[in-house]
Amino acid sequence: MMDTLLTILGISLFVPFFIQCFRTPWSRDTWPRQLLLTALLLQWTAVMYIPSVMYICLGMLAVALIIYAVCARPAFRLTPFLVICALYLAWFAVSLTWSVVPAKGARFLLDRGGPLLVFALLGCTLSTTAGERLHMLRQACHVAYIFIAMTLLTWLVSCVELHLYPWQWPILKKSIVGDIELYHWVFRWLGGLKGYTHPSYNLLPLFAVTSMAIALRKERAMPAYAWWLLWAGGAVITLLVQSRMGIVFALIEIVAYIILMQPTVRRAVIATMAVGCVGLVAIGGTLSFWRQYGSDPIRDTLTTRTWQYIQAKPWTGAGAGALNPVEICHTIGATDWPRVGAITPDMRVEDWKPRTRMLPHNQWLADWAHAGLPAALLCLALYLCLAIRGLRTRRLAAMTFLLIFIIFSLLEPPLYIGKGLYLFGLLSTYLYLKREEA
């Protein structure tokens, strides 16, 4: 019953979107563009919510894009991101020819290709003023505040149900309470204890908003306390769910904030050197703790076996949709898989359920194993496109999140997971939006 109530209360995440809809002065001449901007805000909101809603909102965004293209007929700008995205998806389509499960591969291609193409096309057609971009970032911050409030409220409710005082909640310890991992209790407002409670992917949208909100501070469009409240909320949730990656990302954000808020290049360089010295001393004094806290034998096993598989099939990989523990174990001669159990010789690759976890925890290794070296190189080119675009346009706040996403991609395959893929697409749209005069 409590899970249901919290899930219903979680709909409050969309309050800023509804307010924006009512406040928008809809015009008969510009309504297609207004509709597209509103749909884009809805997508930013939905990426913080349950994935099923996020998928539905993408369909609405695609419809709004089609309406805008037909009615407004905007100038189309061919971007390097769109070109490489098309090549990336085309190579996965080619890999269907040697995949033993082409039907699953086609579904995999549709699930990943559709969102990437929609966001890439948005960056090719939509232009925004500086005021519109700042306004959209402010709305995203409002959604983030509600996300933080709902998460902390859910944590307090869970403390009451578990008969724990808030100060008794385990911090920096890989603990289980009530036979359930801690992050299930904290994120249960996203569909219940068995809902979407993955700590890293639920925190990733919050890191995105906090990083890009530095641009609001730089433009004096957000007071200092508002940004610090946003950062502190994310840091507290990170500790509550015991996310090791989240701790690193929260530290990256505060370092980026200190450096980017300096008024001159000279002071930024001095701040960078000072933060670097303090960081080296802190890491040196706590290195043994972080080694122990960051150890993950399962992740190491997945990486080792994936690399063995890559050495066996470096150019072709498994083929779209065919990468799973059965394929890897049969190829390298292993007889078991972490958290899966025994992989017997009579198990078939075709019988493995799609979207099952335990993929290689590295985006480029996953692509390499999935469709060979060309897929990994094209994926790397997608990241490089965003990095070059961010540096050229000097959107350094967005580059902070891109840095976080790159580090995250070394530890997870985010382009294989809905929230990671959509955030990557939204980031590409934000970086490629053409600036125009007000």
Side-chain angles (χ1 to χ4, degrees):
M1 182 62 180
M2 182 56 66
D3 284 354
T4 303
L5 292 176
L6 290 171
T7 301
I8 294 173
L9 190 59
I11 300 175
S12 60
L13 204 68
F14 292 87
V15 168
F17 165 75
F18 290 121
I19 293 176
Q20 177 62 27
C21 286
F22 286 116
R23 286 185 175 179
T24 298
W26 296 94
S27 169
R28 188 165 68 178
D29 297 329
T30 61
W31 70 266
R33 185 169 180 277
Q34 292 174 313
L35 178 65
L36 182 57
L37 290 174
T38 304
L40 190 57
L41 174 60
L42 177 61
Q43 189 67 67
W44 266 108
T45 304
V47 81
M48 289 192 174
Y49 197 54
I50 300 169
S52 57
V53 178
M54 183 179 70
Y55 302 145
I56 294 172
C57 290
L58 178 71
M60 298 171 66
L61 180 62
V63 172
L65 177 59
I66 293 172
I67 293 174
Y68 174 69
V70 172
C71 297
R73 296 182 181 179
F76 182 82
R77 308 178 303 273
L78 185 64
T79 64
F81 184 82
L82 177 61
V83 173
I84 296 176
C85 179
L87 292 174
Y88 178 64
L89 298 175
W91 177 255
F92 269 98
V94 170
S95 72
L96 289 173
T97 58
W98 60 79
S99 172
V100 297
V101 281
K104 292 179 181 179
R107 178 180 174 182
F108 167 84
L109 192 61
L110 179 64
D111 289 344
R112 295 185 66 201
L116 277 178
L117 288 177
V118 169
F119 292 123
L121 289 171
L122 271 172
C124 295
T125 56
L126 185 60
S127 301
T128 57
T129 64
E132 288 172 334
R133 287 192 299 275
L134 292 178
H135 177 72
M136 191 171 297
L137 282 178
R138 279 196 294 266
Q139 294 297 318
C141 289
H142 297 159
V143 176
Y145 289 131
I146 298 174
F147 179 92
I148 292 171
M150 278 301 309
T151 304
L152 295 179
L153 174 63
T154 304
W155 167 62
L156 291 174
V157 170
S158 297
C159 285
V160 173
E161 291 188 351
L162 294 169
H163 306 290
L164 284 175
Y165 290 107
W167 53 87
Q168 293 177 323
W169 192 265
I171 300 294
L172 294 179
K173 299 176 182 177
K174 286 298 179 181
S175 306
I176 294 178
V177 177
D179 296 328
I180 298 176
E181 289 87 351
L182 292 177
Y183 53 84
H184 288 284
W185 294 106
V186 176
F187 286 126
R188 58 195 287 203
W189 65 278
L190 293 171
L193 288 172
K194 295 183 179 180
Y196 193 84
T197 57
H198 195 291
S200 297
Y201 288 101
N202 277 330
L203 283 169
L204 200 59
L206 187 57
F207 291 134
V209 174
T210 306
S211 298
M212 289 189 284
I214 300 176
L216 294 176
R217 282 289 299 124
K218 195 70 175 176
E219 298 291 334
R220 305 299 179 188
M222 168 188 275
Y225 75 86
W227 188 89
W228 283 104
L229 183 62
L230 197 62
W231 178 86
V236 169
I237 295 173
T238 295
L239 295 176
L240 293 179
V241 300
Q242 301 181 352
S243 173
R244 294 167 293 188
M245 288 180 284
I247 295 173
V248 176
F249 299 157
L251 292 176
I252 290 175
E253 286 179 339
I254 195 171
V255 169
Y257 179 84
I258 293 172
I259 295 173
L260 295 179
M261 288 305 296
Q262 301 304 314
T264 64
V265 175
R266 180 182 177 184
R267 291 185 61 175
V269 172
I270 294 173
T272 302
M273 295 174 62
V275 169
C277 292
V278 173
L280 289 174
V281 172
I283 292 174
T286 59
L287 186 59
S288 59
F289 167 77
W290 292 113
R291 280 179 176 175
Q292 180 181 2
Y293 188 68
S295 63
D296 193 334
I298 293 179
R299 188 185 301 273
D300 295 340
T301 301
L302 292 176
T303 301
T304 300
R305 293 190 176 180
T306 302
W307 181 241
Q308 292 173 350
Y309 181 81
I310 288 172
Q311 291 175 313
K313 296 183 177 181
W315 297 107
T316 61
L323 182 65
N324 57 52
V326 177
E327 165 68 15
I328 294 177
C329 288
H330 286 178
T331 302
I332 66 175
T335 58
D336 66 289
W337 194 262
R339 292 185 180 174
V340 173
I343 302 293
T344 59
D346 61 328
M347 295 180 68
R348 300 193 311 160
V349 177
E350 299 91 321
D351 296 335
W352 191 261
K353 295 181 180 179
R355 300 191 181 189
T356 304
R357 62 180 182 178
M358 305 313 290
L359 283 167
H361 284 188
N362 180 295
Q363 180 61 51
W364 296 284
L365 286 183
D367 273 326
W368 197 345
H370 207 151
L373 182 59
L377 293 177
L378 288 170
C379 180
L380 180 61
L382 288 175
Y383 283 70
L384 288 176
C385 275
L386 298 191
I388 294 171
R389 177 66 178 181
L391 291 174
R392 282 184 175 178
T393 57
R394 297 185 62 81
R395 295 178 184 175
L396 300 182
M399 291 295 291
T400 300
F401 177 65
L402 180 59
L403 174 61
I404 289 174
F405 200 90
I406 290 171
I407 297 174
F408 189 68
S409 298
L410 294 171
L411 305 168
E412 286 281 340
L415 300 189
Y416 284 67
I417 309 297
K419 287 202 174 188
L421 176 65
Y422 280 56
L423 275 174
F424 186 77
L426 286 167
L427 179 61
S428 71
T429 297
Y430 177 78
L431 289 174
Y432 276 97
L433 284 178
K434 185 180 179 181
R435 298 182 180 182
E436 63 181 32
E437 297 297 329

